[in-house]
Structure formats: C-alpha cells, structure tokens
Amino acid sequence: MRVLGSLLLTLIVLPCCAEPARHPQQLKSLSLEQLGNIKVTTFSKQPEEVWHTPAAIYGITQADIRRSGATTLPELLRMLPGVQVSRIQSDQWDYRFISRLPAQNVPSFQAMDAHLAWPFDRHFTIAANGRSLLQPHRREVTGDNGNAVGILRRLYASLTWMP
Amino acid sequence: MLVRIGCALLGVFLVALSLQAQMLSEYDVEAAYLYNFGKFVRWSNEGANTSPTFDICILGQDPFGGTLDKLIANDKIDGKPIRKRILDQTAESAGCAIVYISDSEAENVRRIISVLSARGELLVSGLPNFLREGGMIQFVVEGDRVRFQVNLDTAAKSHLVLSSQLLKVAVRVTGSPQDGTVR
C-alpha cells in the first residue's frame, strides 16, 4: 500500500472580489452617480478572479486523511468547512461553498474557485489505499441552477490542478 | 514500496477557495436605483398621489432577494411610507408609483406596456428593448456596471416629470423633452 506522501494539507480560503465587498444596505446612502460605478456580478459574465491575502487557513493532517477514508481529491475537499462536493457524473464533480448571505440570512450557495498547488517534485505523491490522488486533472463546472434558494445568482465553480 | 515518513515534508498542498461572497449582483444595484427614482420623479396620476403609501410594485417574480425590502424599510418618499407590492397581473397596478417589470415577464412585455403605458406609473425594467417597446427607464449593464436609459416620450405620455439630475446620470436619453417633462 502506498503511503500518503504528504503529511500536511494546508488549505487557504481566500475572499475574492474585484473590489472591496459592499453590503446591499450600504447602497442606500449612495447617489445615482455612485450607483452607476459599482461593479456587479451579472448572469452573463463570471466574476473576475483576484487573489487576496488569506482569510482563513484550514489544516488537514495525514491522520485526518486516513480517518476520512477519502480516496479521491474531491472527497478531501469535502472536508473543508462549508464546502459541498457532489458528483454529477462518474468523472464530473460540482463544488459549492455554502454560506449565509448577510442580507437574507438564509443558507446560500456561492461562487467558488478552488485552486490546488504544491511545489514541483517528481517524487511527490498523495495516495490512499494504493490509489494516487494526484490524477492529471482539469475540470470546470458551471451551474445554471442558481435559483437554489430563490436568489438569482449564477453558480460558478472551477477546480484546477496539475500534478 | 513503502514511502518513508521522511517524505512527509515533500510538499505543501494548497487549496485556495476564492469566494465571491460579498459581491453585489446587478439586482442589488437595480433595487437601489428603484429606491432612488422616487426622489427624482414627480407623478400626476391620481392613483399614486392619493395612495397613502409610496408603492414600488414588481410585476412578476421579485428578483431582488430581499434587498429592496431592506432598502425601503422604515423609509419615506414625499412623507409617505414606501411599500413593496408584488403584482400578479397588470390590473393590480392601481396606486403604484413605480412598476418594475421583472425578467420573468419577458414574453409578455409588449402586452404589459400596452396596458400600463398611459396609467401614469413609472415603468422600469431590465429587459432588453424595454424602451423601444414603450417603457420609460431601462437598466443596462455596461462594463459590469448597472446604468439606465430613459425614454422621455413615453414618460411624457404618462405625465411624469423627471428631474434633470436623473437625466444627467442616464447613460442615454431618447425622445425630446417636452414642456413640463423635465424639471
């Protein structure tokens, strides 16, 4: 049995916005001119990806991985707080981040980009029960059913990793 | 076969989730515009003027997800408390100051405008070609920003007086200003 190559899984959650977040209620104090200058997410376009400083770090240890029984990377991602991973087809996965919209106070799926990266090393591997978790992989999933909780938001999730 | 424990530090595995948690949607901004329009338009239709409340009506599905409710809560326009009303049909529009035609009504927009066009309500929508069909204010998304266009001719037909401040901000104004349409 191949042993887990890495003992340390460091998971960093980054807030991503093209500009500082604004609460809908803050809109009230804005003038017509200011409203016209707010950058918004729309149905037709996906939000820009901007990397900011980490907001939270989740660490998953080898022991965590063993206990979880995860045999695939999506299953590992499922261990992240708030992340929901569901299988669409045998080789297709859907990633969503569940949070509460401050204005509505209801659980909501939110757009999520997941990026996995590690230093290049030919011998580096993460494996469980003899199966490598580092399959060459690139997957992008776009969901259209943004009406999950009656809030019209397009879901966008992408997961990219290259061993 | 067995990988030594020493290889534990071979690499660090990073997962970064970038979230659009707080990003505003176009509908959040549209809701704020609707709230603001009340300050820049004067109505002459009796229904809106005699109504004890300032009614912002939504024809069709409410796309604002609670944002409009939050913005208008405990607020007044012209001394009247602002109220949101959802209309199932055009016949319910009596007393509305603003009627927002939701995206859900895209297929009925022509019929809706033909019924509402002369009732004196401010007709607003984000539907494409809304102004051409006879609407008064149409939201457009340009470069990820929500702006609006104004049709003065249809506003004049409903005897609405639009503030010049509103027209200054509009990204496009069609029709010609007639006497009393702009103040």
Side-chain angles (χ1 to χ4, degrees), chain A residues 7-11 58-65 76 79-80:
Chain A
L7 284 182
L8 189 69
L9 258 168
T10 310
L11 305 161
Y58 300 106
I60 298 179
T61 63
Q62 185 187 27
D64 289 335
I65 297 171
L76 279 184
M79 294 168 69
L80 284 170

Side-chain angles (χ1 to χ4, degrees), chain B residues 7-125:
Chain B
C7 74
L9 297 175
L10 261 175
V12 178
F13 186 170
L14 298 174
V15 175
L17 309 172
S18 43
L19 309 175
Q20 278 78 45
Q22 289 286 312
M23 195 89 173
L24 293 171
S25 81
E26 57 188 296
Y27 293 108
D28 292 327
V29 175
E30 287 183 10
Y33 274 125
L34 286 182
Y35 162 74
N36 266 287
F37 287 158
K39 303 169 190 167
F40 297 98
V41 178
R42 203 179 289 155
W43 282 260
S44 54
N45 71 325
E46 235 171 70
N49 285 336
T50 55
S51 169
T53 49
F54 183 91
D55 289 4
I56 298 177
C57 304
I58 299 169
L59 187 63
Q61 260 178 26
D62 180 354
F64 303 116
T67 303
L68 184 62
D69 304 72
K70 289 255 183 327
L71 291 172
I72 66 175
N74 304 317
D75 208 333
K76 290 181 175 180
I77 286 180
D78 290 337
K80 298 174 180 178
I82 314 173
R83 187 168 65 146
K84 181 187 91 174
R85 261 168 61 197
I86 307 283
L87 311 179
D88 290 325
Q89 42 188 324
T90 50
E92 297 168 13
S93 81
C96 295
I98 299 173
V99 179
Y100 175 87
I101 290 114
S102 168
D103 292 359
S104 65
E105 304 308 301
E107 286 174 13
N108 313 317
V109 69
R110 189 166 291 180
R111 188 182 52 76
I112 289 168
I113 290 174
S114 70
V115 175
L116 294 182
S117 60
R119 287 207 190 159
E121 295 134 4
L122 182 72
L123 305 184
V124 184
S125 179

Side-chain angles (χ1 to χ4, degrees), chain A residues 11 21 28 39 43 45 49 61 64-66 69 75 79-80 82 97 106 110 113 118 122 128 132 134-136 151-152:
Chain A
L11 305 161
K28 196 162 174 169
K39 227 172 168 196
F43 291 100
K45 287 191 82 179
E49 283 174 30
T61 63
D64 289 335
I65 297 171
R66 279 217 188 99
E75 285 175 77
M79 294 168 69
L80 284 170
F97 183 80
V106 289
Q110 297 184 352
D113 291 337
W118 53 89
R122 274 186 310 127
S132 172
L134 299 180
Q135 305 288 330
I151 296 161
L152 296 163

Side-chain angles (χ1 to χ4, degrees), chain A residues 57-133:
Chain A
I57 295 175
Y58 300 106
I60 298 179
T61 63
Q62 185 187 27
D64 289 335
I65 297 171
R66 279 217 188 99
R67 274 199 304 274
S68 74
T71 55
T72 62
L73 216 40
E75 285 175 77
L76 279 184
L77 286 177
R78 201 176 267 157
M79 294 168 69
L80 284 170
V83 172
Q84 191 196 58
V85 182
S86 52
R87 200 167 201 154
I88 301 170
Q89 285 170 21
S90 60
D91 62 345
Q92 264 197 336
W93 300 83
D94 181 43
Y95 302 88
R96 292 166 175 185
F97 183 80
I98 306 171
S99 179
R100 281 177 186 277
L101 287 181
Q104 283 80 27
N105 201 29
V106 289
S108 164
F109 299 119
Q110 297 184 352
M112 178 184 122
D113 291 337
H115 299 263
L116 299 101
W118 53 89
F120 175 77
D121 190 312
R122 274 186 310 127
H123 306 290
F124 173 62
T125 184
I126 299 177
N129 298 331
R131 284 183 59 195
S132 172
L133 300 181

